[in-house]
Amino acid sequence: MITPTIRSERLTLDALLPADGDAIYRYCQDVEVQRWVHIPSPYTRPDAQYFVTAYAADAATSTALTLWAIRDESGSLLGVIELRHEPLASATVGYWLGKEHRGQSIMSEALATLMEYAFDPLGLALDRVHWESFIGNTASAIVARRAGFHFEGTMRQSVVHRDRRLDTWHASLLRGDDREIQDGWPL
Ligand SMILES: CC(C)(COP(=O)(O)OP(=O)(O)OC[C@H]1O[C@@H](n2cnc3c(N)ncnc32)[C@H](O)[C@@H]1OP(=O)(O)O)[C@@H](O)C(=O)NCCC(=O)NCCS
C-alpha cells in the first residue's frame, strides 16, 4: 500500500527511501535488532539495499503490507514501523528503532499515532491490530502495553528464529478499546 504520511508531535511517519539504505544498514548491525527482528544475520549492505528498494516498492504496490519510515523533525531516519494486513480489516504491527533513538518514548509515540490512523474510518479503517514478539522482549511489550493492547497469551515454540524454536507473546487492540493500560501483561 502506498505509504500515507502521518505526523505526531515529534515524528513524521512516511515512505522509506533508497537514501535510507546507509542508516538501515547501520541500525541493523545492532544485536538487539538482530535478536528480536526477523532480519538476515549477518546483515549486509545488499540486505539494506534490498529493503529500501525492492521490499519498500513491493509494499507500496501490495495490499499485504504498509511500511513507514519513522523520522525526526530534520527528516533523519530513526526506525521503521509496518502493518502486515490480513483479511477483514485486521493487521499485525511490527517495529524497531536504531539503538541511539531508544528510551525516549519514540516508539510509544509512533505506535499511538499509527493506531489512531489505523482505526480511523478515514484512515485505514481497521477493526483489529495484532502485536507479537518473541517471549521476553520487554521493551516491545512495554510499548504495546502503553498503547492499550490487551495481552492474550503465550504461544509455545511457535516461531523459528536463528535456528531456535521460540515461544511468542501475543496481544491485540480493537477499534473500540479505550487505549488505557491493561492488566495481565507478564511484565
Ligand atoms: C522495542 C523498541 C522499538 C522500543 O522503542 P523505544 O522508543 O525505546 O520505546 P519507549 O522508549 O517508548 O519504551 C520502552 C520502554 O522499555 C524500557 N526497556 C527497554 N529495555 C528494557 C528491558 N530490557 N527491560 C525492561 N525495560 C526495558 C525502557 O526503559 C522504556 O521504558 P520507559 O519509557 O518507562 O523508560 C526498541 O527497544 C527496539 O527497537 N528494540 C529492538 C528491536 C525490537 O525489539 N523490536 C520489536 C520486535 S517485536
Side-chain angles (χ1 to χ4, degrees):
M1 187 180 294
I2 297 277
T3 308
T5 298
I6 308 169
R7 290 195 172 79
S8 66
E9 198 181 324
R10 293 179 294 172
L11 307 173
T12 299
L13 311 187
D14 64 8
L16 201 63
L17 302 171
D20 294 318
D22 283 349
I24 293 284
Y25 171 73
R26 192 160 46 82
Y27 292 155
C28 289
Q29 303 308 308
D30 174 51
V31 289
E32 292 295 305
V33 175
Q34 298 214 359
R35 177 178 179 193
W36 298 114
V37 182
H38 285 289
I39 59 167
S41 182
Y43 194 87
T44 65
R45 286 196 179 275
D47 291 327
Q49 202 53 34
Y50 165 79
F51 187 66
V52 297
T53 56
Y55 185 86
D58 285 352
T61 56
S62 141
T63 53
L65 181 67
T66 317
L67 176 67
W68 286 268
I70 303 170
R71 301 185 193 279
D72 64 13
E73 301 84 353
S74 69
S76 296
L77 183 76
L78 309 179
V80 168
I81 189 163
E82 68 178 24
L83 286 173
R84 296 185 290 279
H85 297 281
E86 292 136 16
L88 280 183
S90 61
T92 295
V93 66
Y95 44 72
W96 59 263
L97 279 180
K99 183 176 179 177
E100 60 263 44
H101 305 299
R102 295 183 201 144
Q104 303 161 51
S105 297
I106 285 172
M107 195 54 78
S108 295
E109 183 173 328
L111 183 61
T113 304
L114 180 57
M115 291 303 96
E116 287 298 322
Y117 184 79
F119 292 115
D120 185 341
L122 299 177
L124 297 176
L126 297 184
D127 292 330
R128 181 179 190 274
V129 176
H130 182 80
W131 166 92
E132 64 187 28
S133 77
F134 308 148
I135 192 170
N137 192 343
T138 305
S140 182
I142 288 174
V143 169
R145 182 175 65 173
R146 226 175 242 161
F149 279 68
H150 292 236
F151 186 75
E152 293 175 336
T154 301
M155 283 178 71
R156 296 176 304 155
Q157 303 201 6
S158 52
V159 70
V160 173
H161 184 62
R162 315 257 181 257
D163 297 325
R164 289 175 59 216
R165 194 170 284 285
L166 301 173
D167 295 352
T168 50
W169 281 339
H170 295 263
S172 71
L173 191 63
L174 303 183
R175 178 202 290 274
D177 286 345
D178 60 15
R179 318 291 167 86
E180 297 297 317
I181 290 179
Q182 303 297 315
D183 294 334
W185 284 84
L187 297 172

